[in-house]
Amino acid sequence: MARIVVIGAGLGAMAAAARLAVAGHRVTVYERGTTYGGAVGRFARDGFAFDTGPGLLHLPAVYRDLFVKTGKEPLEECVTLTQVDPASRHVFADDTRVDLPNASRAGTVAALDAALGAGAGERWGDFLVRAREAWDRTRRPLLEEPLPADPAPLAREPYPALKAGLLRRPTTTLAQVGARELRDPRLAALLDAYAWSYGFDPATAPASAAVLPYMEQTFGSWYVGGGLRALADAVYERCRKRRVEFVFDSPVEDVLEKDGRAVGVRLAGGETVEADHVVSGAPVPALYRDHVVEWSRGDDVPHHQATGTGRVTVCLALRGPREAGAVHRTVVHATGGLPTVTVLRPDDPALRPDADHESVTVTATVPTSPERDAAGWEAFADGMAEAAGRAVPGLRERLLWRHVRTPEDVRRDTGAAEVPGPALAGAGGRLLPAGNRSPLPGLWFAGGWSHPGGGLAHAGMSGALVAGFIVEGADFRGSQ
């Protein structure tokens, strides 16, 4: 039985902790904050509740596998999962609207033809065929296997080039895919929205980001009853049942090294904790910035993905019930100087004080570098609320209060203002996150800042990979 110290109680770190505990190891999680969940947070006030991190779950099979491997109760006995249908409503700049069904290729093609004109659905369908090629080429190395020692093949673009006469036209960015292949500004905006929702700027994201809409439209979008925070609650309780120990309000200040190997951690109060393995769920950049991990071997500092973007979340408490015909998720595309926003309106009694009120969450992706003061963020939130008004009838008149959460709030709670995106091939490898095996033996990286990257499903896969390394040893090759 090995002694395992886990830094941070995010979803990826807890997924690793539960699997390691089931394998017979003694696992203790040290979390600098007062609660678990990492980016999967909750804001509550006056009977209203809001997810401050992800609002929907994609690839729920990752957490089904976690619960099967760590106990008798399957995931569906611990949380309520519901497919969101329609998966999303899109409101374009010209006020064209289209509802896209959940996980129905034929339904999506028909909906786009009906809303955008004959041929729009076919162009989108042809694009998804090419996106599937990129998915098939990268699924195992980017999702199911450890990052290879030589990731150079993943630095090449897997999205197929279109033939133009006798020449093949290389497509280097997702924005170029929209312009060249979709040939309708509304279809291009639809494609862009998927990139923005994962924190990628389509003007710089590689064409391989086409796997993001493919993944959602193929495997569907799911809502967890009570909000995504309920999933964090369930994973935490599964850890506790497997006798994982949690210590909150306990920042880790240093990873201890002896004879070239991690041998424990030092806590903020000076206490040292010995360990055979250290699993860090903290953002990889923050580990170096805060000097939790330091090596003299500068070239060995792990590469980490940097999207340069964060998220603003505006929680809206509204009087009046949700109207008939409302949908769970609406993407309101940029127009007239207003940002593209995603509006989440779950019809969930757990998130509102009574049937005569509604909780609405509005998010937007923004660069993390421009400095805004409190007044600047409030002004930006005004624009987000105005855009959301195109999706929520009478929003301005119904508003009781709002709460604004900025990238700096995310930095305070998680250690990084950026929201990490899923690993993407292409782009010269710059969108590959840190590998799970750190340069220091005995130290492992789990969670959204390590392979296979950000997002709830990807974080869960990261925890499974780290547990596989520790339990099975250096020969571990990933899931079968």
Side-chain angles (χ1 to χ4, degrees), residues 89-396:
R89 171 175 292 167
H90 289 261
V91 181
F92 296 104
D94 64 355
D95 212 38
T96 303
R97 298 177 179 231
V98 59
D99 289 356
L100 301 182
N102 198 334
S104 171
R105 165 83 173 276
T108 296
V109 168
L112 290 172
D113 274 340
L116 308 186
E122 182 181 1
R123 290 197 299 277
W124 184 261
D126 290 343
F127 154 73
L128 286 182
V129 170
R130 293 185 289 276
R132 178 177 179 174
E133 288 188 45
W135 171 265
D136 289 341
R137 292 170 181 172
T138 60
R139 176 180 59 86
R140 279 201 60 81
L142 283 187
L143 295 181
E144 300 172 3
E145 299 174 345
L147 198 65
D150 178 13
L154 291 174
R156 296 193 290 268
E157 178 58 64
Y159 185 81
L162 282 182
K163 290 184 178 180
L166 297 177
L167 301 176
R168 293 174 65 84
R169 300 178 63 188
T171 304
T172 58
T173 69
L174 196 67
Q176 289 178 333
V177 171
R180 293 178 180 177
E181 302 175 24
L182 299 178
R183 304 192 305 279
D184 183 313
R186 295 165 298 183
L187 285 179
L190 172 62
L191 177 58
D192 289 352
Y194 283 99
W196 285 120
S197 69
Y198 285 92
F200 297 114
D201 183 341
T204 58
S208 65
V211 301
L212 302 176
Y214 173 81
M215 178 181 70
E216 285 200 24
Q217 294 194 7
T218 300
F219 302 108
S221 301
W222 302 74
Y223 177 68
V224 178
L228 263 291
R229 180 65 184 181
L231 178 63
D233 294 340
V235 175
Y236 172 72
E237 290 302 326
R238 177 53 53 92
C239 286
R240 292 292 303 273
K241 288 182 179 180
R242 302 284 80 82
R243 299 187 179 181
V244 175
E245 182 182 357
F246 286 81
V247 184
F248 296 103
D249 292 314
S250 295
V252 171
E253 287 196 338
D254 193 15
V255 173
L256 304 178
E257 178 183 349
K258 182 179 180 181
D259 298 328
R261 181 180 176 83
V263 294
V265 298
R266 183 172 64 247
L267 305 179
E271 177 187 357
T272 61
V273 181
E274 296 181 352
D276 299 295
H277 296 273
V278 177
V279 176
S280 177
V284 173
L287 292 175
Y288 295 94
R289 182 195 69 217
D290 299 338
H291 305 289
V292 176
V293 178
E294 293 189 69
W295 287 289
S296 59
R297 302 162 290 172
D299 291 341
D300 288 340
V301 172
H303 161 84
H304 61 268
Q305 181 193 74
T307 61
T309 61
R311 291 199 182 98
V312 181
T313 301
V314 181
C315 306
L316 303 175
L318 304 185
R319 63 170 64 88
R322 190 173 182 264
E323 78 278 5
V327 299
H328 190 116
R329 174 172 58 169
T330 301
V331 178
V332 181
H333 295 267
T335 181
L338 299 178
T340 293
V341 299
T342 298
V343 182
L344 296 181
R345 306 178 66 190
D347 188 11
D348 189 341
L351 304 184
R352 60 190 183 227
D354 53 50
D356 292 324
H357 294 84
E358 182 183 8
S359 298
V360 175
T361 304
V362 186
T363 59
T365 302
V366 296
T368 54
S369 53
E371 295 297 329
R372 287 187 175 96
D373 57 15
W377 283 119
E378 287 297 327
F380 188 80
D382 288 343
M384 291 175 62
E386 184 178 348
R390 299 175 66 203
V392 184
L395 186 150
R396 184 188 298 271

